[in-house]
Amino acid sequence: MKDQAEGLRNLVQLQNDKGTKSTRIITVTSGKGGVGKSNVTLNFALALQSQGYKVLVFDADIGLANIDVLMGVSSKYNLYHLLKKEKTIWEIIQKGSNNLDFIAGGSGFNDLLRLTEEELDYFAEQVMQLNGYVDFIIFDTGAGLSKETLKFILAAEETFVVTTPEPTSITDAYAIIKMVHSMGHDVSFKLIINRVTDRREGKHTADKIALVANQFLGIQIPTLGFVEDDSSVSKAVKKQVPFTIAFPNSPAAKSLHSLVDDYIKGYRVISTPSSGVKGFLNKMMRLLK
């Protein structure tokens, strides 16, 4: 593994961004399944795209990858085909709803932890090509803190934790934040509260997590926003059409767009430049030591 990391370090240091814009890396996770994480990820990406940003969704959920299912798209290739050098990065990128770029999930992320030096070099070379191609790469990880999910959380520039007002969901959301923090890692977490009755319930839920995190961990966990509980979401899932497209005037779609508006306002005033794909790979390299 040390040789792999060394090979990746050398390759990344040789890369030149050639003046291209940087790509911001976001990881989306949750403490438990069933909170609507993938649905939020997909529709967040589509809402970003509707504002003129180019976005790529990377389905990094090994066990329950379903970004393609939510869009009614049949995936032909995934990361596994890239790692085995059967396809290039461009060949595994597929088009979903509203021509959204996405890479389907699969066993490839598990294989990422066992790459040979040659395979790791190829992976880094391919992924580096995405820097500047899109404004955002969003990794939709599996629920809970697996080894794979931890690496994406630590390598990304920020991590969205999706939860609901249910007590078990709140407890598990805090648990994943606590576990990462206890390992000595400084991660930029933001909360998204899904399926709220109203903003008051969403704020109350977020405040609970933020208060405990500040009191016992000494860290600030800001709230990105809330998504309203809405029957249109389940109807959209059955139709295999993202709810922001199937029901654009629904409460869930409106609240999701409001959430993205707030995110973009903050994104535009960030004073430090994004570390981009190069920074992501550098962090990933250190984690593979």
Side-chain angles (χ1 to χ4, degrees):
M1 200 61 83
K2 183 177 181 181
D3 290 339
Q4 293 180 5
E6 185 66 30
L8 180 54
R9 181 190 296 111
N10 293 337
L11 186 143
V12 171
Q13 287 178 343
L14 290 172
Q15 294 292 334
N16 187 341
D17 290 347
K18 298 178 181 179
T20 61
K21 61 184 178 182
S22 289
T23 296
R24 190 162 187 83
I25 310 293
I26 299 171
T27 288
V28 184
T29 192
S30 63
K32 66 187 291 289
V35 300
K37 171 184 56 60
S38 294
N39 226 339
V40 168
T41 300
L42 174 59
N43 286 279
F44 183 93
L46 287 165
L48 273 178
Q49 183 173 271
S50 72
Q51 296 205 26
Y53 293 95
K54 191 165 179 59
V55 186
L56 170 70
V57 176
F58 228 126
D59 194 340
D61 189 337
I62 298 171
L64 299 172
N66 60 6
I67 289 292
D68 52 349
V69 176
L70 290 171
M71 295 187 287
V73 177
S74 179
S75 302
K76 194 173 182 181
Y77 305 115
N78 56 43
L79 183 64
Y80 174 85
H81 299 95
L82 174 69
L83 297 181
K84 297 305 177 183
K85 297 187 178 181
E86 295 176 9
K87 298 293 176 181
T88 67
I89 191 71
W90 307 111
E91 290 174 315
I92 67 170
I93 294 176
Q94 298 168 79
K95 295 290 184 180
S97 302
N98 285 3
N99 282 323
L100 176 71
D101 284 335
F102 77 98
I103 293 177
S107 62
F109 289 98
N110 196 30
D111 296 332
L112 183 60
L113 303 179
R114 300 189 298 268
L115 294 181
T116 65
E117 184 175 354
E118 182 182 358
E119 289 170 337
L120 192 64
D121 286 349
Y122 181 74
F123 168 76
E125 177 188 353
Q126 291 292 308
V127 175
M128 272 300 299
Q129 296 179 58
L130 295 177
N131 198 56
Y133 168 70
V134 292
D135 299 296
F136 296 92
I137 295 177
I138 305 177
F139 287 98
D140 179 38
T141 70
L145 195 61
S146 66
K147 292 180 181 179
E148 295 81 16
T149 296
L150 177 62
K151 285 176 172 54
F152 286 105
I153 289 175
L154 298 182
E157 292 175 85
E158 55 187 340
T159 294
F160 300 163
V161 180
V162 180
T163 185
T164 71
E166 295 178 357
T168 55
S169 181
I170 295 172
T171 300
D172 289 342
Y174 173 71
I176 199 169
I177 294 170
K178 180 181 178 181
M179 288 172 68
V180 173
H181 180 73
S182 68
M183 296 175 186
H185 301 297
D186 183 19
V187 173
S188 176
F189 285 112
K190 292 182 176 66
L191 294 173
I192 296 178
I193 315 300
N194 193 26
R195 300 176 187 157
V196 302
T197 302
D198 50 33
R199 288 187 63 85
R200 182 179 178 181
E201 182 182 50
K203 186 176 186 307
H204 179 67
T205 301
D207 287 347
K208 277 185 179 180
I209 299 174
L211 179 64
V212 176
N214 183 41
Q215 183 176 353
F216 294 101
L217 306 180
I219 58 176
Q220 303 293 322
I221 307 293
T223 303
L224 189 56
F226 320 111
V227 181
E228 287 195 41
D229 193 13
D230 184 354
S231 61
S232 296
V233 175
S234 60
K235 291 176 183 177
V237 171
K238 291 175 182 177
K239 291 164 64 76
Q240 292 186 282
V241 179
F243 66 80
T244 51
I245 296 176
F247 303 101
N249 295 315
S250 66
K254 289 181 178 179
S255 58
L256 193 284
H257 277 288
S258 177
L259 183 156
V260 171
D261 287 343
D262 290 341
Y263 175 76
I264 290 303
K265 289 175 185 176
Y267 171 70
R268 286 173 176 162
V269 299
I270 294 176
S271 58
T272 56
S274 169
S275 59
V277 176
K278 186 174 182 179
F280 170 79
L281 287 172
N282 271 318
K283 290 178 184 177
M284 188 65 77
M285 170 269 295
R286 291 195 295 269
L287 295 169
L288 288 173
K289 285 183 178 180

